[in-house]
Amino acid sequence: QVQLVESGGGLVQAGGSLRLSCAASGSIFGVSTMAWYRQAPGKQRELVASISSSGGTVYADSVKGRFTISRDNARNTAYLQMFNLKPEDTAVYYCKATLSRDSYWGQGTQVTVSS
């Protein structure tokens, strides 16, 4: 069983930065695709960024150039570095690990960006 624990969320002013972390337990981290999703109130959960086991990355258009996803396989941790945050980035951010047909989610961390 894989457990994911997110941290690093908080309240920040527009233009500020935050780094989210996702610490994974279990032995599959190094071969899993890791992703960050977010869900704002009244909206569907959406993909923010993903990184494959080989390091390939995908970003939502809304965060390209502002967010960077990375992973440290030695630490079983994935990161989401967020720069130039905007009020529309306010959401609960979730970490997801995917291996084959199995997916695991963290509990989420709140990011609030004030204008």
Side-chain angles (χ1 to χ4, degrees):
Q1 187 71 12
V2 175
Q3 291 186 326
L4 305 175
V5 179
E6 302 99 333
S7 61
L11 173 64
V12 65
Q13 288 187 331
S17 302
L18 284 174
R19 189 177 80 155
L20 306 183
S21 298
C22 173
S25 65
S27 60
I28 71 165
F29 182 86
V31 295
S32 299
T33 292
M34 301 300 299
W36 288 95
Y37 285 73
R38 67 186 181 187
Q39 187 167 19
K43 295 188 177 181
Q44 289 189 331
R45 192 171 295 189
E46 63 175 359
L47 175 67
V48 176
S50 68
I51 183 167
S52 69
S53 57
S54 59
T57 58
V58 174
Y59 293 93
D61 288 343
S62 59
V63 306
K64 282 181 181 177
R66 300 189 298 121
F67 291 10
T68 301
I69 189 171
S70 61
R71 63 191 298 159
D72 184 340
N73 290 341
R75 297 179 184 272
N76 281 4
T77 303
Y79 303 97
L80 185 68
Q81 179 68 58
M82 305 184 291
F83 295 104
N84 191 22
L85 283 160
K86 304 176 181 181
E88 51 263 42
D89 295 319
T90 295
V92 178
Y93 284 70
Y94 296 91
C95 177
K96 178 184 177 183
T98 301
L99 177 63
S100 186
R101 288 177 290 183
D102 295 325
S103 294
Y104 306 89
W105 291 89
Q107 83 289 350
T109 185
Q110 176 71 46
V111 172
T112 303
V113 184
S114 64
S115 57

